[in-house]
Amino acid sequence: MTRKVIKAAPKKTTMKKAIPSDIDTQAGYVRIEDAPLLPPPPSEVGVTGWLYKNIFASMSDFGSVSATLKSVFVAASTLFILYFLITQISGLLDFAIFSAVWSDPEGLKRQACWTVEQGGALPNGWHAACWPFIEAKAKFIFYGAYPSDDLWRVNLTYALGGFMLAWVMIERLPYRKIVGILLLTVYPVMATVLLTGGAFSISTGTIGGATILGLALITIGRLGKAGYVSGAFGDLALVAGVCGWLVILFAAVLAVFAIDFDLEAIDTRDWGGLLITLVVAITGIVASLPLGILLALGRRSEMPVARFLCTVFIEFWRGVPLITVLFMASVMLPLFMPEGVNFDMLLRALIGVTLFSAAYMAEVVRGGLQAIDKGQYEGADAVGLSYWQSMRLIILPQALTHVIPGIVNTFIGLFKDTALVSIVGIFDLLGAAQSTLADAAWSTPVQGLTGYLVVAVIFFVFCFGMSRYSMFMERKLNRSHKS
Amino acid sequence: MAQPQNTAEQSVDQKTIVSMRNVNKWFGQFHVLRDINLSVDKGERIVVCGPSGSGKSTLIRCLNRLEKHQDGDIFVHGIELNNDVKNIDEIRREVGMVFQHFNLFPHLSILENCMLAPIWVRKTPRAEAEEIAMHFLTRVKIPEQASKYPGQLSGGQQQRVAIARALCMQPQLMLFDEPTSALDPEMIKEVLDTMVELADDGMTMICVTHEMGFARRVADRVIFMDEGQIVEQNEPEAFFNNPKSDRTKLFLSQILGH
Amino acid sequence: MFGRDRSLTSLLNDTFIRGILFQALIAIGLFLSINWLADNTLSNLANQGKTLGFDFLTRTAGFQISPTLGTWMLDYKVGKSTYTDVYLIGIINTFIVALLGILAATVIGFTVGIMRLSDNLVFRWFSSFYVEVVRNVPLLLQLFFWYFAVLRAMPSKREKLELVEGVAGLNITGLYLPAPIVSDGFIYSFLSLIGAIAITFLVRRYALRRQAETGQILPMFWIGLGIIIILPVLVHYLNGSPLDWSLPEFKDTGPKLRQGYQSGAGMVLVPEMLAVWLALSLYTAAFIAEIVRAGILAVNRGQTEAAYALGVRPNVTLRLVVIPQAMRVIIPPLTSQYLNLTKNSSLAVAIAYPELVSVFAGTALNQVGKEVEMIFMMMMVYLTFSLMTAAFMNWFNSRVKLVER
C-alpha cells in the first residue's frame, strides 16, 4: 500500500510531553492525496465472506478449551440440523409430489393407492400422497354438503368479498373508504342472503314496528336539534336521533332478509369445510370489533361501575378456553333463551366465538388507546368536543390504525381457532377433512397424512399470508410514525 | 502472543500508548477506515472531528475491539489487538470508554454500575470496590445519587456516571464517543467540565466530539477525518486558525460558520 | 354550577350526576337481563324436569376412565368413585399435561429462540422454519397429526417399536418406560439430594461473601453441579442402591392373546397423553421462541458494548447484564403463554385424553345432564388459574419495573 503524504515541518507545541518522532502521523500532517479505495478482503464479501460470516464464524474459535468445545458442538449440530432439514424437506417433497399418486383414471379408489402387499399395484414400502382421494373429496372439504347446483352462490360471495377487500387494501384506488364501509355493512347482509337463501319468515309487523319506532326516534332527534327540547333533554334527544337511524337500518336489514329472492334455502347444517371456517372467522372478527371497542372504552372509562363490568366481562372470556365457550354456547345458550326461540348450531357457535374474540379485541384496542399521547385527549377536550365526539373523531381513528397489526394477529388466532368448532359437531375445514378419513372407499394407510397435509397447507397459506401483511403494516406504521 | 512480535517498535518509544499502522476496515463493500496511521502518547489529549459517517466512531471503537479491523496493526498499551481473547481482555481493562447514549445498566443502581467491572474484572473486594466507586462518583460530583437508578437521573448526570464507571477501572486511556451529542445544551457544560478536569489531571484521552471550544481548550492535537481517512492533524491553534486542507476548511466553515 | 338554581335540568347537566345516572342505568339493565336469563333458564330446566343443585357430586360414577395419573392418584373405580373424584381426576390430568407441556415448551422455546439469533445461518434457517410452520397451523390439526397420523400408525398391540433395547418401546397402546420401584432406603438418597441443594446454597453464600471480602470468584456453577450430582449418587450407592427399575416386559411368544407388553411391568404413557403433550409443547414452544428472541433483541446493543468496554467477559456480560434485562421483557408474555398452554390442553377432548373438559364436561355431563352446574364448575377451574397467573404477573411487574424518573 502506498501512502502519499506530505509532512509539514513538525512544530513545537504546548504539549506537556514531547512529540514522539517515530511515525509520520504527527502534528501538522495533511493528507494531500486520497488513500486508495480498496476492495474488501475476501473475509468480508463474496461467497467466502458470506459463508464465513453466516456459518463458519460461529465455529472457528479455538482460543480456549471451552471455546473449542463450543465450536465443535456448533459444528456437529450444524451438520445434524442440515441433515435433518434436508431429509425432512426432501421427504415432504417426495411425499407430496414425486412419489405421489396423481390420478385414478380407472376409478379404483382406494386400490389406486395400495401397495402390492395391500392388494394394489404400487411397490411395497411406497408411502406418499394419494391425490385422487383429495380430488374426490375436494367439494366436501371446501363446501361441505352445500348443494352442487348452488355452489355459484358461495363462489360469488367469495369473489365479491375478495374484490372489495382487495380494493380496500390497494392504496392507489379511489373511494377506498366507501368500499370499506360497504364491505362492513352491505356485504354481510348480501353474503347472508346469498349463502342461506334469505326469505326468512320475519313478520311485516316486526319490520313495520321497527320502522315506526325508528322514525319516531329520528323525529325526537330533529326536534332536539332544532332546539324544541330544553336543557339536558336536548342531549338525550340527539342520542335518540342516532338510535333512530340504527333502528331504521336494522329494519332495513330485516326487510332485505324477508324478501324472497327465489334462492333455494340452504340449511347451515349443509354448510361445511373451508366455507364454515371463513364464515366463522370473518363473522367473529367483524362482529367482535365494535363490541371490543365498546368494551375497551368501558374498561378505560372513569365510571367505576362501567369499568368494573367491562373488566369482569373481558377477564372472564380471556380466562376460559374457547372449547369451554363453545360447549357453553352449544349446551347452555338454548337454556338461556325463552321457550320457542331456537338458534341453529352455527349461530350458537358464532355467538360464542364473537363474545370470546371481543374480549381479546378489547385488549388489543385498549393497547392502542393507551399508546395515544395524553395530549390528544387534552387537545380534544380543549376544543370542546364531547366524549363520544372526541372518541369518534380524534382518539379511535388513531388508536385503530395503531393496532391494525394487533387486530390482524387476533384474526390469525381466531382463524386457527375456528378448527375447534369441529369439536361441537360443525364441519369446518378440519372437521370436514377429518370426516372424509372415515370413508372406507378410500381407506389407505396414507389417507390421513394426505388429508392433514391439504388442511395444513390451506391454513398455512392463509395464516402466513396474513402475518406477513401484519408485519408489512407494522413497518409502514412505524415509518409513518417516525416522519 | 501476549507480547507483540515487533518489539523493536515498542522499544523505540515506551511513551506510545496507541499505535495504528496502515489500518483498513470494511463494512461489507464499504471501505470505512482507509489507511489509518496514528500514534498517541501517554498523557496526550486528542480530539477527533469530522463530518458524520467519516469513520471517527469506528476508529476509536477499533481501539478496544468493539469493531474488528481487517488489515494493518493496532497496538494499545504495547499489546497487539488480534483474535487472541487474552489480549482483548487485557486491552479492555486498560481502556475506558464513554458512549454517546451513556449505556448505563438500567437494572443496576449507580453504585452497582460503577462496582460491576472492578468486582468482576479486577476481582476487587466489595468494600474496596465501593470505596473506589464513591471516590470517582465524588470526582464527577454526584456521590449523593449513588443509590438511585440510571432512569432517575438527568442525561448530564447519567453521562457523568458513565465517566465515573469507566474511571473505576483506573484505565490508562479514555475513549469518548460523542459524549455530549445526546445531551440538552444546558447539560453539555457539566459533562465537558468533568472532561476538562480529567484532562487537567493528565489522563490520556481520545475524544470524538464536535465541541470545538473543548478542543481548543484541552486538546494537544486535533485530528480531522473525512471519508474514512485522517485528512489533517495539527495542534488546535494551527488547526483552527490555519487549516491546510480544503476539506478541513469546508468542515470548519460549516460548524463554526454561525 | 353552584351559583345557579339547582333545577332538574341543571342536575342532569352536572357531569357527576350524569355519570351516576348512566351507571345506575347500566346496573339496572344488567340486573334485568341477568334476571331474564335466569328466569328463562329456570323455566327451561323445569320443563325438562331438572333442578339446580350440586348433589350429583356425591353420586357414584358409572363409566370407565382410561388409566392416567389422575385415576392412579385417586384410585378410581367404576361404581365406587364419585363425580367429585371424576372432577378431581380431570383437574389432575389437565395440570399434569400442562406442567409437562410447560417444561418441554420452555426448553424447546428457549433453544429455538436463541438459535434464531445465532450467527450461524443453518441454526437461523431451522428455527425460522420451525416457528413459521408450527405457528401457522392450528393446534387441533397438529394434535390430530400426532395422534392419528403418528401414534395411531405405530405397530399394533402385539408388536413394538424398540426405542432403547429392553428399556423403552412404543406401540399403538402407548410408550412403555421403566417404572421406578422405591424401597425403604431410597428416602435417604432423596434427602441427600435436598441436602446437596441446601449445601450448594450455603456454599454459594460463602462464595459471595468471599468475593465481597477478597474479590476472589469461585466457579460456582461447576461446584454446585458437582455437589448436587456427587453427593446423592454417593449416598445412593453406599446405601446399596435402594431404587429398582421395573422394566417393561414384552412377550412375543406364548398364546397370541397374551403377546405384547405385559401389564404390571414398567409404566405406560397412553398415546392420548403423548399426543397432547407433543402437540402442546411443540406449538407453544414456537411462540415462546418468538418471545425469547424479542426479549433478547430488546436489550440494547449498547448494553453489551458497554460491558465489553469495561473488560467484562462475554459470559459474565450475559449473566449480569443481558439476561436480567431480557427476563423482564420475557417473563410477562411467557407467563401468558403458559396460561394459553393450560387452556389449550382442553383440546385434548378431541382425542379423548381424560382431562377436565373431556371427562367432566364430556362424559360425566352426558351421564348426569347438569349442564349449568358442570360447565360452571369447569370454567371455575380455568378462571382460578387465570386469575392466579394474572396476580403473579402484576406482582412480578411491580417488582422488576425499572425505576424511572
Side-chain angles (χ1 to χ4, degrees):
Chain A
M1 233 173 293
T2 52
R3 196 181 321 115
K4 293 187 180 122
V5 290
I6 291 183
K7 227 161 70 168
K11 289 184 177 181
K12 284 275 166 253
T13 66
T14 52
M15 270 191 265
K16 283 164 200 143
K17 316 236 157 153
I19 309 164
S21 54
D22 63 323
I23 327 184
D24 54 352
T25 58
Q26 290 310 314
Y29 160 97
V30 180
R31 186 186 279 280
I32 297 301
E33 210 166 292
D34 275 353
L37 268 175
L38 298 166
S43 70
E44 193 65 17
V45 286
V47 179
T48 19
W50 183 87
L51 275 178
Y52 177 79
K53 264 196 204 157
N54 283 300
I55 300 195
F56 295 108
S58 56
M59 49 179 102
S60 54
D61 185 359
F62 299 99
S64 65
V65 178
S66 61
T68 311
L69 279 177
K70 190 188 152 227
S71 296
V72 171
F73 174 74
V74 170
S77 358
T78 307
L79 281 179
F80 175 76
I81 290 174
L82 215 52
Y83 169 77
F84 178 82
L85 277 178
I86 290 172
T87 50
Q88 290 307 303
I89 292 175
S90 67
L92 185 67
L93 290 178
D94 186 59
F95 180 90
I97 299 171
F98 302 123
S99 295
V101 172
W102 285 94
S103 62
D104 177 23
E106 295 156 63
L108 296 170
K109 293 201 168 178
R110 58 185 180 179
Q111 264 161 308
C113 300
W114 274 358
T115 59
V116 174
E117 237 170 28
Q118 293 151 348
L122 293 163
N124 280 340
W126 174 86
H127 186 77
C130 179
W131 293 124
F133 161 60
I134 297 300
E135 204 185 324
K137 299 292 179 189
K139 194 241 141 197
F140 190 75
I141 290 176
F142 285 97
Y143 301 100
Y146 210 89
S148 300
D149 291 341
D150 289 306
L151 287 188
W152 64 269
R153 283 156 58 178
V154 180
N155 294 336
L156 181 63
T157 314
Y158 286 167
L160 271 173
F163 175 72
M164 289 168 94
L165 191 65
W167 191 306
V168 174
M169 277 168 41
I170 297 174
E171 289 179 13
R172 275 170 307 173
L173 294 178
Y175 309 119
R176 282 173 57 217
K177 246 187 194 154
I178 296 177
V179 177
I181 291 170
L182 288 180
L183 185 66
L184 290 178
T185 52
V186 176
Y187 178 71
V189 179
M190 239 161 65
T192 316
V193 171
L194 267 174
L195 292 177
T196 60
F200 300 129
S201 51
I202 298 165
S203 73
T204 28
T206 320
I207 301 173
T211 318
I212 292 169
L213 178 67
L215 287 176
L217 286 172
I218 290 175
T219 318
I220 296 178
R222 280 286 165 81
L223 288 175
K225 222 177 219 167
Y228 289 110
V229 185
S230 63
F233 292 107
D235 289 358
L236 289 179
L238 291 182
V239 174
V242 175
C243 291
W245 279 111
L246 291 177
V247 173
I248 288 280
L249 263 178
F250 182 65
V253 171
L254 285 184
V256 174
F257 281 158
I259 299 172
D260 190 352
F261 288 97
D262 201 23
L263 292 169
E264 197 188 334
I266 294 165
D267 197 300
T268 55
R269 264 171 301 192
D270 290 338
W271 302 14
L274 185 62
L275 172 62
I276 286 274
T277 297
L278 289 174
V279 165
V280 174
I282 293 174
T283 318
I285 214 74
V286 172
S288 68
L289 190 59
L291 199 55
I293 293 175
L294 281 181
L295 285 169
L297 290 178
R299 197 171 179 175
R300 281 176 59 80
S301 141
E302 281 160 11
M303 292 181 278
V305 174
R307 197 171 53 219
F308 175 75
L309 289 176
C310 290
T311 310
V312 168
F313 185 90
I314 293 171
E315 291 307 325
F316 173 76
W317 294 108
R318 275 163 45 92
V320 295
L322 179 58
I323 291 262
T324 64
V325 175
L326 290 171
F327 263 69
M328 193 167 99
S330 70
V331 178
M332 280 166 75
L333 205 58
L335 284 178
F336 286 155
M337 290 297 127
E339 251 178 292
V341 177
N342 207 1
F343 293 146
D344 74 18
M345 201 55 206
L346 181 64
L347 193 54
R348 289 185 216 169
L350 281 179
I351 293 174
V353 164
T354 305
L355 291 176
F356 183 77
S357 48
Y360 284 85
M361 198 58 90
E363 287 302 275
V364 171
V365 174
R366 190 164 74 108
L369 290 173
Q370 261 162 354
I372 286 183
D373 194 63
K374 215 176 135 212
Q376 295 293 318
Y377 290 91
E378 288 168 356
D381 282 348
V383 292
L385 296 179
S386 76
Y387 175 78
W388 290 107
Q389 280 173 323
S390 71
M391 284 300 145
R392 190 164 53 89
L393 299 172
I394 312 289
I395 307 299
L396 280 177
Q398 295 185 52
L400 290 183
T401 357
H402 210 85
V403 295
I404 288 178
I407 293 176
V408 178
N409 284 338
T410 316
F411 185 61
I412 298 175
L414 182 63
F415 191 81
K416 284 186 294 172
D417 278 348
T418 52
L420 302 194
V421 297
S422 61
I423 293 176
V424 291
I426 299 173
F427 289 110
D428 76 311
L429 183 54
L430 180 56
Q434 180 77 8
S435 73
T436 61
L437 302 185
D439 185 356
W442 283 100
S443 158
T444 63
V446 294
Q447 191 189 16
L449 274 179
T450 311
Y452 293 145
L453 181 64
V454 171
V455 179
V457 167
I458 295 176
F459 269 110
F460 181 83
V461 168
F462 273 96
C463 295
F464 187 73
M466 286 188 287
S467 76
R468 289 294 120 151
Y469 177 72
S470 121
M471 280 160 87
F472 160 77
M473 282 306 291
E474 210 159 337
R475 270 201 299 274
K476 210 184 95 177
L477 289 175
N478 281 343
R479 258 206 316 277
S480 63
H481 230 69
K482 267 174 201 154
S483 59
Chain B
M1 287 289 269
Q3 280 306 309
Q5 304 94 321
N6 46 350
T7 41
E9 185 64 57
Q10 292 306 306
S11 61
V12 169
D13 192 347
Q14 284 296 328
K15 292 181 306 224
T16 310
I17 192 160
V18 171
S19 101
M20 299 176 91
R21 281 185 304 135
N22 302 10
V23 171
N24 282 285
K25 174 168 178 58
W26 292 262
F27 285 137
Q29 289 287 352
F30 179 51
H31 198 168
V32 337
L33 290 183
R34 289 156 70 184
D35 193 24
I36 299 289
N37 287 281
L38 176 69
S39 109
V40 179
D41 280 0
K42 274 196 182 129
E44 232 186 326
R45 275 83 50 146
I46 293 187
V47 164
V48 184
C49 61
S52 63
S54 58
K56 308 167 300 235
S57 288
T58 313
L59 175 80
I60 65 167
R61 285 161 62 89
C62 279
L63 293 179
N64 63 355
R65 198 68 167 189
L66 288 184
E67 301 288 355
K68 191 171 160 185
H69 63 284
Q70 286 129 352
D71 187 29
D73 307 316
I74 301 180
F75 290 90
V76 178
H77 210 245
I79 306 160
E80 184 176 9
L81 261 179
N82 50 21
N83 280 327
D84 193 325
V85 183
K86 286 218 172 59
N87 285 5
I88 297 174
D89 281 348
E90 210 167 320
I91 287 173
R92 283 177 176 169
R93 276 202 289 268
E94 303 303 333
V95 178
M97 186 161 193
V98 174
F99 298 84
Q100 180 179 359
H101 296 288
F102 332 136
N103 294 351
L104 294 179
F105 308 127
H107 61 299
L108 300 178
S109 73
I110 300 304
L111 191 64
E112 286 165 335
N113 261 283
C114 294
M115 285 161 55
L116 182 96
I119 288 181
W120 289 96
V121 181
R122 289 240 189 265
K123 301 193 173 33
T124 319
R126 201 178 169 84
E128 200 179 313
E130 198 169 326
E131 208 175 295
I132 298 172
M134 284 315 291
H135 170 74
F136 285 105
L137 283 174
T138 315
R139 225 174 114 180
V140 300
K141 301 197 181 65
I142 32 178
E144 72 283 358
Q145 313 281 12
S147 59
K148 287 195 180 164
Y149 283 83
Q152 295 169 290
L153 267 53
S154 73
Q157 288 172 323
Q158 288 196 44
Q159 194 59 298
R160 283 187 283 153
V161 172
I163 295 173
R165 178 175 73 175
L167 290 176
C168 282
M169 286 294 285
Q170 288 153 330
Q172 305 285 324
L173 166 68
M174 284 286 281
L175 307 173
F176 291 85
D177 188 359
E178 309 205 17
T180 54
S181 46
L183 293 175
D184 292 338
E186 74 270 21
M187 292 170 182
I188 291 178
K189 189 173 174 297
E190 61 185 71
V191 172
L192 287 181
D193 286 348
T194 312
M195 289 167 66
V196 169
E197 263 172 52
L198 204 57
D200 290 344
D201 286 352
M203 173 64 76
T204 317
M205 295 161 71
I206 302 179
C207 311
V208 172
T209 182
H210 292 155
E211 297 297 331
M212 290 304 141
F214 174 78
R216 273 181 199 272
R217 171 148 176 223
V218 175
D220 296 319
R221 191 157 29 129
V222 179
I223 294 178
F224 173 68
M225 283 187 76
D226 193 20
E227 292 178 356
Q229 320 165 66
I230 295 181
V231 171
E232 180 163 354
Q233 49 176 311
N234 213 333
E235 54 173 296
E237 275 315 298
F239 180 83
F240 287 113
N241 300 336
N242 188 16
K244 301 225 164 40
S245 143
D246 291 342
R247 290 197 249 188
T248 318
K249 285 177 195 159
L250 179 67
F251 175 73
L252 286 177
S253 73
Q254 276 165 349
I255 64 164
L256 300 175
H258 47 85
Chain C
M1 193 111 304
F2 288 103
R4 273 200 272 147
D5 169 39
R6 305 206 66 158
S7 64
L8 181 64
T9 16
S10 71
L11 268 182
L12 277 175
N13 265 332
D14 187 314
T15 45
F16 180 69
I17 306 270
R18 257 194 196 196
I20 288 184
L21 269 182
F22 186 64
Q23 296 185 63
L25 271 178
I26 295 179
I28 292 169
L30 188 81
F31 175 76
L32 287 179
S33 33
I34 288 180
N35 203 24
W36 182 70
L37 291 178
D39 250 18
N40 287 339
T41 313
L42 285 177
S43 70
N44 281 328
L45 285 175
N47 284 348
Q48 293 173 17
K50 289 179 185 169
T51 50
L52 284 175
F54 288 92
D55 48 337
F56 70 90
L57 283 174
T58 52
R59 302 216 310 256
T60 52
F63 54 88
Q64 202 49 261
I65 302 179
S66 68
T68 37
L69 187 76
T71 51
W72 177 74
M73 275 173 72
L74 291 181
D75 197 19
Y76 182 80
K77 294 224 170 55
V78 183
K80 243 175 100 184
S81 302
T82 60
Y83 281 102
T84 316
D85 292 330
V86 175
Y87 186 53
L88 293 177
I89 288 170
I91 295 178
I92 292 171
N93 283 343
T94 293
F95 279 90
I96 188 69
V97 84
L99 196 69
L100 289 175
I102 283 172
L103 286 176
T106 310
V107 173
I108 304 171
F110 272 74
T111 316
V112 174
I114 291 167
M115 276 168 79
R116 228 178 160 185
L117 293 170
S118 159
D119 47 5
N120 185 323
L121 188 70
V122 176
F123 285 9
R124 286 204 304 270
W125 269 350
F126 171 75
S127 46
S128 1
F129 182 73
Y130 171 79
V131 168
E132 291 300 348
V133 168
V134 169
R135 259 198 333 177
N136 287 313
V137 172
L139 176 57
L140 189 61
L141 177 56
Q142 297 185 32
L143 187 61
F144 282 177
F145 169 78
W146 289 114
Y147 186 62
F148 292 114
V150 177
L151 293 173
R152 294 253 110 190
M154 283 296 141
S156 74
K157 202 175 166 188
R158 313 270 170 240
E159 295 162 61
K160 64 176 170 174
L161 177 75
E162 198 98 49
L163 297 177
V164 183
E165 180 74 34
V167 176
L170 194 60
N171 70 17
I172 201 162
T173 57
L175 172 67
Y176 290 83
L177 295 170
I181 298 174
V182 175
S183 44
D184 291 340
F186 184 69
I187 186 75
Y188 297 109
S189 311
F190 182 70
L191 284 179
S192 64
L193 177 66
I194 295 184
I197 294 173
I199 291 173
T200 309
F201 268 100
L202 289 178
V203 174
R204 183 169 168 271
R205 263 181 62 181
Y206 164 74
L208 287 178
R209 211 175 56 227
R210 196 173 105 106
Q211 186 186 358
E213 279 163 11
T214 67
Q216 296 306 306
I217 300 167
L218 287 176
M220 235 1 262
F221 176 76
W222 298 109
I223 295 177
L225 200 68
I227 296 176
I228 288 176
I229 290 177
I230 292 171
L231 187 68
V233 168
L234 210 64
V235 169
H236 188 74
Y237 281 100
L238 287 180
N239 208 4
S241 311
L243 175 72
D244 266 332
W245 294 94
S246 138
L247 295 180
E249 191 187 346
F250 185 85
K251 271 195 189 155
D252 45 9
T253 53
K256 191 79 184 159
L257 286 177
R258 288 304 190 92
Q259 284 180 17
Y261 277 106
Q262 306 296 305
S263 65
M267 74 179 171
V268 58
L269 294 180
V270 289
E272 289 80 22
M273 163 145 176
L274 276 180
V276 176
W277 184 33
L278 272 170
L280 277 181
S281 40
L282 290 176
Y283 183 75
T284 315
F287 291 88
I288 292 180
E290 282 300 276
I291 291 169
V292 169
R293 182 173 86 117
I296 295 176
L297 284 180
V299 181
N300 197 317
R301 241 193 92 73
Q303 293 289 311
T304 337
E305 286 186 349
Y308 287 174
L310 286 166
V312 184
R313 297 292 299 268
N315 52 351
V316 181
T317 305
L318 204 64
R319 185 153 59 86
L320 296 180
V321 177
V322 179
I323 292 178
Q325 292 187 56
M327 284 321 266
R328 281 160 209 261
V329 184
I330 290 174
I331 285 183
L334 186 67
T335 344
S336 78
Q337 280 306 323
Y338 289 166
L339 185 59
N340 279 350
L341 185 144
T342 311
K343 287 193 287 177
N344 280 337
S345 69
S346 59
L347 261 63
V349 64
I351 57 167
Y353 168 70
E355 48 73 68
L356 185 61
V357 177
S358 157
V359 85
F360 193 66
T363 325
L365 178 60
N366 282 339
Q367 303 272 324
V368 185
K370 295 267 189 184
E371 298 92 352
V372 181
E373 299 89 331
M374 294 177 94
I375 288 187
F376 169 79
M377 282 174 73
M378 169 183 74
M379 285 189 154
M380 275 306 122
V381 173
Y382 290 106
L383 272 181
T384 315
F385 190 63
S386 297
L387 291 179
M388 272 160 42
T389 314
F392 165 77
M393 252 178 329
N394 286 341
W395 170 81
F396 178 83
N397 283 337
S398 64
R399 215 181 87 95
V400 303
K401 203 165 88 186
L402 289 181
V403 187
E404 300 276 346
R405 286 228 270 187

